[in-house]
Amino acid sequence: MMTTDGLVDGSWELTIIVTDLQVERTLRVKGDLHIGAVMLKLVESLDFPTDWSDHGLYWPEKSLWLLRTKSTLDQYGVQADCRLWFTPMHKTLQVMLPDLQVIEMQINFSINIFRVVVKICKELGIRHPEELSLSRKMDKEELKRNRGVSAIRRTQVPGLSSPNGHMTSPSYDSATLGSLFRRSGTSDASQGTLSRDSGTPRSPFGTLRLSPSYPFNANGTMSPGSVHSILFDGAIERTLTNSPLVSVQEAFARLYRPRNLAEKARINAGWLDSSRSLLEQGVCENDIILLRFKFFTFYELTPKYDAVRINQIYEQAKWSLISEEIDCTEEEMMIFAALQLQIQQQSLLPQPDLERSLQTEDEVDAALNDLQVTLEGSTLSDTTDITQTPELRNYMRFFKPKKVTFKSFKRYFFVFKETVLSIYRSAESVDQNPVLKFSIRGCEVTSDVNLSSQKFNIKLFVPSEDGGGMTEMWIRQDTEEQYAHWMAAFRLASKGRTMADSSYESEVRSLQSFLSMQHPVSSPTAANVDLQFDPANYVAPRFLNKVKSVKQLARRILEAQSNVQGLNLMEAKMTFIKAWQSLPEYGLTYFIIKMRGSKKEELLAVTFNRLVRMDLAKGDSLKTWRFQNMKEWNVNWDIKEVVVEFEEDRVAFHCLTADCKVVHEFIGGYIFLSMRSGDRNQTLNEEQFQKLTGGWL
């Protein structure tokens, strides 16, 4: 602009849209004007007396909040052709919980997803929010195709791109702003605690709304206090700790139902970037966002403190089985259905006082620990050999599949010590060279069990010596007891631990317990089936199609329930979660990838301790890389490639079903969770989480 003296003062016009008022203001500014001064100048020009303290400047073309009020327009790169929004930071969001209930909450759209999840979990009474994250609600049509490779860190807000893919300056009419910022019925943007709206029906899809009843401090967080005494009234707490029953027909309207491994992989495209805010990722006011457990390593599930958390984990596990996101056998499905029925029935009955029972258990545990220390201290002097490693020795049958062959199991003598399996022709030949000898460490271990036909198989996928892939081997056990001991030993060995580990016996007991629950038990209840429940709501649809009648399915569920009738509500939920964790597909997060230099689409599974390269069509494991052998991992944003360095290998791939940042965040997130200490009072280190999941070279 030229002054009256004929000099150019360097000022220019900046257009700002006030989304609340749906008005446009043009300010004359200079590049050295800081953001705080721009907002002050804008508010003064509006001449509209209200509290603007919750508002901030947002740059839609860059998908960027201008939150550093002391930074200048030049430092942000804002120029005369830019258009900014002046919009509230707190907006209404519909959060769908794992149990499919929807909660209407006032959420800060300007802070990153990690902090949003922490605040949501604090209000819901869920400990360890680092295990959860937010996911976009994807259209079911999106599961039918890959989303393509994308490494753009600042995604566009919907409706702001031209047909040729380039960014365009949006048209800010009232319709556009109305769709992007849909205001709720009340203009009060303050936060509060959860309370059910009186007009909301008692439906699993009813909305739980916030009411501004309790004080929040200056930074928008709840004032210190007990979650159970301040945040919840009794009704809301009950709906979160004991979710309403949802019919399968209602649930399938909101659930993904993947039909194959490719669709299971495409589901994971919806995860939001933990380092960026909701608005920066195209989430609009009143959108439905899914709150889900993202990382399947649950720290210290304690019924006394984790009633809501345990219930939501149980609900996520339940729906993953019914929607067939995780596969299981028919016998396993019956016991899962029986546990669901037991939980549903127990939720209507009074339960033991957790406070009193856990206090008694704590005293007993303390006494047992003291006794253990005393006994161990007095036994050490009498022990002659404390270095002896336990071993297993049994006759079992062995089969190594080939391309064209029938399953022909041959009987061998097996010896397992530390992490090494040796196979001999007979027990008498153990002093000779074994027929086969290899380490279980780094192997993939899965089960193939059918109790009705007394079939107990363990499948091993052993890394080839040349590093070219995985060799499949089958070992068949004769009895349940034999299977439980060998399966527990193999699972520990695959993680580098031996049978001397303290968790071996508990692993054996857990396997035996799960098998015992699957034994059919005839009972008077099961013999005379009175259909007081709909069996279709407890099993995946494919199992419903296998039975002759609904009564037959109900009878099988009731027979299975006879094995778990002694469990109270919390015990049944914990048993369900442990059984879910024992499934072969538990904790596998899939992505479709292309390895560097390859044109073939493959499957990559990320788990809490390893990466697994798999065949996309069959799901067979091709190669496994353990995190304990990992040196570094990063993302090359120029070529949109994830690079993971291991001690013996370098893995580089493009992700075809999600942004490569999503894959990187899963890897870094699991590393972060593995670094948690045993200290119950440890603080959540967001800075460390962002460093491990950031993806920058």
Side-chain angles (χ1 to χ4, degrees):
M1 178 180 179
M2 185 173 293
T3 65
T4 55
D5 299 329
L7 301 176
V8 177
D9 64 358
S11 65
W12 39 275
E13 291 185 342
L14 175 65
T15 302
I16 301 177
I17 309 300
V18 183
T19 60
D20 278 11
L21 307 178
Q22 298 187 16
V23 299
E24 179 179 307
R25 285 288 185 271
T26 302
L27 305 179
R28 182 155 293 278
V29 298
K30 294 183 179 180
D32 59 357
L33 189 65
H34 56 79
I35 299 300
V38 173
M39 290 192 292
L40 180 61
K41 194 170 184 177
L42 173 65
V43 170
E44 290 175 346
S45 70
L46 291 173
D47 193 24
F48 188 81
T50 189
D51 183 6
W52 299 101
S53 60
D54 187 48
H55 287 60
L57 288 176
Y58 180 74
W59 191 354
E61 289 176 299
K62 298 290 185 181
S63 297
L64 179 66
W65 282 96
L66 311 183
L67 299 176
R68 300 192 304 271
T69 56
K70 294 184 179 180
S71 296
T72 64
L73 294 171
D74 283 342
Q75 289 173 328
Y76 268 114
V78 178
Q79 299 176 351
D81 59 345
C82 299
R83 292 193 172 196
L84 305 180
W85 292 345
F86 189 57
T87 185
M89 291 182 284
H90 286 85
K91 305 178 188 295
T92 304
L93 189 68
Q94 308 287 335
V95 181
M96 185 187 293
L97 304 182
D99 64 359
L100 306 185
Q101 292 190 91
V102 177
I103 294 182
E104 184 178 286
M105 306 181 77
Q106 285 290 325
I107 300 296
N108 191 335
F109 273 55
S110 69
I111 61 176
N112 64 42
I113 298 298
F114 186 88
R115 295 179 186 175
V116 169
V117 173
V118 170
K119 290 180 181 296
I120 291 175
C121 290
K122 185 175 181 180
E123 291 203 27
L124 299 180
I126 299 176
R127 296 196 306 159
H128 302 290
E130 67 273 14
E131 298 168 355
L132 299 93
S133 191
L134 298 178
S135 177
R136 197 186 312 273
K137 184 71 173 70
M138 296 173 58
D139 189 276
K140 292 183 180 180
E141 289 297 317
E142 295 182 81
L143 299 183
K144 299 179 181 179
R145 60 185 182 276
N146 293 342
R147 293 172 63 89
V149 182
S150 172
I152 301 174
R153 302 307 303 275
R154 302 288 176 190
T155 57
Q156 304 171 15
V157 174
L160 299 184
S161 59
S162 62
N164 61 12
H166 298 295
M167 294 299 296
T168 59
S169 181
S171 173
Y172 299 102
D173 55 23
S174 58
T176 302
L177 292 175
S179 63
L180 289 171
F181 302 102
R182 298 184 289 275
R183 308 299 298 163
S184 57
T186 174
S187 61
D188 189 354
S190 63
Q191 291 178 306
T193 189
L194 295 171
S195 64
R196 182 178 289 277
D197 182 70
S198 58
T200 304
R202 187 169 181 78
S203 161
F205 302 133
T207 302
L208 305 179
R209 294 186 174 85
L210 297 174
S211 66
S213 306
Y214 298 102
F216 276 69
N217 55 32
N219 62 8
T221 59
M222 175 64 89
S223 301
S226 166
V227 168
H228 292 282
S229 62
I230 294 180
L231 286 181
F232 300 112
D233 59 31
I236 299 305
E237 184 178 355
R238 283 194 297 272
T239 63
L240 296 177
T241 56
N242 295 309
S243 305
L245 181 63
V246 184
S247 70
V248 169
Q249 289 77 12
E250 289 178 298
F252 282 169
R254 302 234 174 167
L255 287 172
Y256 304 121
R257 294 185 62 192
R259 297 172 298 176
N260 49 47
L261 288 170
E263 291 191 359
K264 290 180 182 180
R266 294 179 186 124
I267 289 174
N268 294 304
W271 291 109
L272 297 179
D273 187 340
S274 294
S275 64
R276 299 170 56 210
S277 70
L278 288 162
L279 193 56
E280 289 171 338
Q281 299 183 70
V283 179
C284 301
E285 188 167 8
N286 277 325
D287 279 355
I288 294 180
I289 291 293
L290 314 181
L291 178 69
R292 295 291 183 268
F293 288 90
K294 180 177 182 179
F295 302 104
F296 297 95
T297 51
F298 306 121
Y299 184 91
E300 195 185 47
L301 290 174
T302 308
K304 179 179 179 181
Y305 305 109
D306 293 319
V308 175
R309 181 170 167 234
I310 289 172
N311 180 64
Q312 296 301 324
I313 293 175
Y314 155 71
E315 288 287 335
Q316 183 165 329
K318 179 183 75 175
W319 291 119
S320 69
L321 291 165
I322 292 178
S323 67
E324 300 180 65
E325 189 177 335
I326 292 181
D327 291 332
C328 65
T329 66
E330 186 173 349
E331 290 173 326
E332 289 168 343
M333 189 75 254
M334 291 305 109
I335 194 61
F336 282 123
L339 285 167
Q340 291 177 59
L341 183 59
Q342 179 71 7
I343 290 167
Q344 189 65 28
Q345 292 173 352
Q346 286 292 313
S347 66
L348 305 176
L349 302 176
Q351 296 299 309
D353 186 354
L354 284 177
E355 189 81 27
R356 183 176 302 173
S357 61
L358 285 172
Q359 184 177 0
T360 304
E361 289 177 10
D362 290 341
E363 293 173 357
V364 173
D365 288 342
L368 289 174
N369 288 335
D370 291 341
L371 178 61
Q372 182 179 358
V373 171
T374 303
L375 292 175
E376 288 178 350
S378 61
T379 307
L380 284 175
S381 58
D382 300 330
T383 305
T384 56
D385 184 10
I386 62 172
T387 62
Q388 184 177 0
T389 303
E391 64 178 37
L392 290 174
R393 289 170 173 254
N394 279 119
Y395 275 104
M396 295 184 293
R397 284 167 289 177
F398 178 77
F399 168 66
K400 187 176 180 181
K402 297 179 182 179
K403 289 186 178 179
V404 180
T405 184
F406 294 101
K407 284 187 180 180
S408 177
F409 286 88
K410 293 184 179 180
R411 188 175 178 83
Y412 290 96
F413 188 74
F414 292 75
V415 177
F416 185 65
K417 188 173 183 179
E418 294 184 339
T419 61
V420 178
L421 178 65
S422 302
I423 304 176
Y424 300 90
R425 295 193 182 278
S426 66
E428 291 74 21
S429 62
V430 291
D431 296 331
Q432 303 173 12
N433 291 332
V435 176
L436 189 62
K437 184 177 181 179
F438 56 91
S439 174
I440 302 296
R441 183 168 183 168
C443 294
E444 289 296 309
V445 183
T446 60
S447 62
D448 180 23
V449 177
N450 190 317
L451 284 179
S452 59
S453 59
Q454 287 295 295
K455 183 178 69 174
F456 306 98
N457 292 326
I458 297 176
K459 290 194 289 185
L460 299 176
F461 293 90
V462 184
S464 302
E465 293 182 359
D466 58 2
M470 307 280 279
T471 302
E472 183 179 354
M473 300 179 186
W474 290 56
I475 302 174
R476 175 168 289 181
Q477 292 74 41
D478 297 325
T479 64
E480 283 186 33
E481 184 178 359
Q482 194 179 65
Y483 165 80
H485 282 85
W486 283 86
M487 187 65 179
F490 285 165
R491 281 183 178 176
L492 290 178
S494 69
K495 304 171 187 176
R497 291 183 284 174
T498 70
M499 289 182 289
D501 193 275
S502 59
S503 62
Y504 173 67
E505 290 298 332
S506 63
E507 184 74 20
V508 172
R509 288 193 298 270
S510 176
L511 287 166
Q512 290 174 332
S513 174
F514 188 48
L515 288 172
S516 66
M517 286 190 294
Q518 299 179 51
H519 284 289
V521 177
S522 58
S523 66
T525 309
N528 304 297
V529 178
D530 182 11
L531 281 182
Q532 297 178 351
F533 70 99
D534 184 359
N537 291 329
Y538 296 84
V539 300
R542 65 189 175 96
F543 296 108
L544 188 63
N545 299 331
K546 291 183 178 181
V547 295
K548 296 179 180 179
S549 66
V550 175
K551 275 198 171 185
Q552 181 187 7
L553 178 61
R555 184 177 297 107
R556 292 192 61 186
I557 294 175
L558 289 173
E559 287 175 352
Q561 190 193 11
S562 301
N563 291 312
V564 297
Q565 278 187 335
L567 301 178
N568 63 34
L569 178 62
M570 193 57 69
E571 289 171 344
K573 287 181 180 178
M574 292 297 293
T575 301
F576 191 102
I577 293 171
K578 289 177 182 177
W580 173 57
Q581 291 175 317
S582 69
L583 296 177
E585 287 193 17
Y586 167 76
L588 295 178
T589 304
Y590 298 112
F591 300 94
I592 298 177
I593 63 165
K594 281 185 180 179
M595 301 294 289
R596 178 187 290 178
S598 174
K599 295 183 179 180
K600 182 181 179 182
E601 291 187 359
E602 297 179 285
L603 201 65
L604 181 76
V606 184
T607 73
F608 75 98
N609 63 351
R610 67 196 186 279
L611 298 178
V612 186
R613 183 179 177 185
M614 306 174 71
D615 182 84
L616 180 58
K618 299 179 180 179
D620 294 339
S621 298
L622 303 177
K623 192 164 185 179
T624 298
W625 299 277
R626 296 273 166 180
F627 288 159
Q628 62 190 18
N629 300 323
M630 186 167 59
K631 297 164 65 176
E632 64 178 15
W633 68 100
N634 53 61
V635 175
N636 188 328
W637 294 107
D638 293 331
I639 59 174
K640 308 168 186 177
E641 184 180 62
V642 180
V643 182
V644 189
E645 292 276 359
F646 293 92
E647 291 178 357
E648 75 287 351
D649 208 352
R650 177 186 176 93
V651 183
F653 58 86
H654 300 278
C655 184
L656 306 180
T657 50
D659 194 297
C660 48
K661 174 63 164 60
V662 177
V663 186
H664 186 279
E665 191 167 303
F666 266 97
I667 298 173
Y670 276 123
I671 298 299
F672 174 79
L673 296 182
S674 70
M675 298 169 66
R676 293 185 291 189
S677 68
D679 182 10
R680 296 182 179 181
N681 297 320
Q682 60 187 310
T683 57
L684 185 56
N685 190 338
E686 182 192 349
E687 182 181 359
Q688 186 180 55
F689 179 88
Q690 298 296 356
K691 284 181 179 179
L692 291 171
T693 60
W696 296 104
L697 291 168

